[in-house]
Amino acid sequence: MEFTVQAPAKLNRFLAVLGRRADGFHELELVTTVLEGVLDLTDTLEGEPASALSLAISGPTGAGLVADASNLVIKAWRLLEEAAKRPLPAHLHLEKRIPHGAGLGGGSSDAAAALRLGNRMFDLGLGEDKLLGLAARLGSDVPLFLLGGTVLGLGRGERVFPLRPVPLEPILLVHPGLHLSTPSVYRALQDVGYPFPEALASQPGGAAPPWRNDLTGAALWVCPPLAEVRDALRDSGGEPLLCGSGSCWAARYASVQARDMAAEQLSGHSGWGVWHV
Ligand SMILES: C[C@](O)(CO)[C@H](O)COP(=O)(O)OP(=O)(O)OC[C@H]1O[C@@H](n2ccc(N)nc2=O)[C@H](O)[C@@H]1O
Ligand SMILES: Nc1ncnc2c1ncn2[C@@H]1O[C@H](COP(=O)(O)OP(=O)(O)OP(=O)(O)O)[C@@H](O)[C@H]1O
């Protein structure tokens, strides 16, 4: 097709929950890296002008994902039409590789990709501030994908600021084949108790932010079998970190060699997906 935009996954290397707000959302401090260049964890959105709007979905994780008005790509397109004050008829094709309900932000990344694609395809000339505003209406995670790189997220995560790049350690991502709903994990914070973060993302002297996710207890409460992947990553010598609201885990290793040995060991587990970052 004529126009193509990549939609990578993300890794929240720091997620502090600061409290619950009156609107039901949680006040967060996040450091997120967009995993640009990890091709088997990147969706692709292509488009060409047509007589009406349509979306086709294919790819390894495309099955079971509906292409109707509930899809974040269509929701993003409708917001663009609202901003452009005219229909933007196009045929879109989404190649899905990011697992859903995995905490890797696939749907949010697709939404950001749709905003960029439509803006470019129809020469709408919407600036970054306008696109960030539309992104925030689509979901808390969408704006960070417009910035790319390593991003500080404040508020419910939608107020984004570029950070200097944090070099990624040798990392493995493991998907246990489970699906976790983000709202149910945030709700479970009430059952497990709210964490009271003392360390925030801004580190003195340019140090990398800590490897931390305050949603871990809540996600394990909602889905106890998640612990199996965490324990396997620990046994393989890694330092596990839950991805967003789950179900994927990331683990960092002391060396590329240690990471690659662990990958070989964990790939043998049936039903788990394993990626190098
Ligand atoms: C877990 C993360 O992926 C970390 O980056 C995000 O916080 C989730 O972002 P998201 O999926 O874009 O979330 P949204 O679509 O905005 O919200 C989904 C639901 O998650 C809960 N939610 C989300 C963000 C936030 N700061 N507090 C919340 O309590 C709310 O119940 C909300 O109804
Ligand atoms: N294009 C899309 N790709 C994936 N999911 C989508 C899409 N559009 C809508 N959804 C819905 O959004 C839900 C969350 O999908 P997503 O892949 O963003 O989950 P996630 O990785 O847990 O995200 P997050 O880290 O933002 O919580 C899916 O279960 C699906 O119902």
Side-chain angles (χ1 to χ4, degrees):
M1 284 203 220
E2 276 176 68
F3 296 86
T4 304
V5 172
Q6 302 299 336
K10 53 108 182 167
L11 176 66
N12 303 112
R13 57 176 303 128
F14 180 90
L15 190 165
V17 179
L18 306 182
R20 189 163 182 275
R21 315 191 320 192
D23 64 3
F25 279 85
H26 291 78
E27 195 70 15
L28 303 178
E29 189 166 283
L30 293 162
V31 178
T32 306
T33 296
V34 178
L35 300 175
E36 283 131 6
V38 185
L39 294 184
D40 45 2
L41 274 183
T42 297
D43 296 342
T44 305
L45 185 65
E46 300 171 298
E48 61 191 8
S51 54
L53 178 60
S54 65
L55 171 65
I57 303 178
S58 58
T61 63
L65 198 60
V66 282
D68 64 11
S70 70
N71 196 290
L72 279 156
V73 169
I74 300 290
K75 286 187 178 171
W77 210 264
R78 295 301 182 204
L79 277 193
L80 270 186
E81 292 183 323
E82 195 186 302
K85 299 191 180 64
R86 64 181 171 100
L88 304 171
H91 177 59
L92 305 176
H93 173 236
L94 177 64
E95 178 79 4
K96 230 20 238 177
R97 298 185 193 87
I98 307 176
H100 4 126
L104 300 174
S108 308
S109 187
D110 295 346
L115 293 177
R116 285 166 44 222
L117 184 79
N119 194 30
R120 201 188 323 144
M121 261 177 80
F122 291 92
D123 247 330
L124 301 179
L126 301 176
E128 186 171 79
D129 281 357
K130 181 69 188 173
L131 289 178
L132 285 171
L134 298 181
R137 288 170 62 190
L138 290 162
S140 313
D141 265 351
V142 181
L144 72 93
F145 287 104
L146 288 177
L147 290 194
T150 296
V151 178
L152 172 68
L154 301 177
R156 60 182 165 87
E158 91 291 7
R159 286 174 44 218
V160 288
F161 306 90
L163 290 178
R164 68 186 162 73
V166 175
L168 287 177
E169 307 90 333
I171 287 172
L172 273 191
L173 281 175
V174 178
H175 182 241
L178 301 166
H179 180 286
L180 254 80
S181 125
T182 301
S184 66
V185 172
Y186 274 104
R187 263 197 312 275
L189 279 172
Q190 289 166 55
D191 300 308
V192 299
Y194 288 90
F196 292 99
E198 54 306 310
L200 297 182
S202 26
Q203 293 291 297
W211 199 234
R212 157 179 177 161
N213 185 346
D214 288 353
L215 294 178
T216 310
L220 286 164
W221 171 273
V222 170
C223 183
L226 275 184
E228 201 190 334
V229 171
R230 178 201 58 196
D231 295 345
L233 286 167
R234 243 181 225 153
D235 292 345
S236 74
E239 191 186 341
L241 177 78
L242 186 74
C243 295
S245 53
S247 60
C248 259
W249 292 86
R252 60 179 178 186
Y253 293 84
S255 66
V256 169
Q257 204 182 18
R259 191 267 314 271
D260 292 351
M261 273 172 61
E264 216 172 292
Q265 197 181 317
L266 293 160
S267 303
H269 198 293
S270 82
W272 291 3
V274 178
W275 296 272
H276 291 60
V277 172

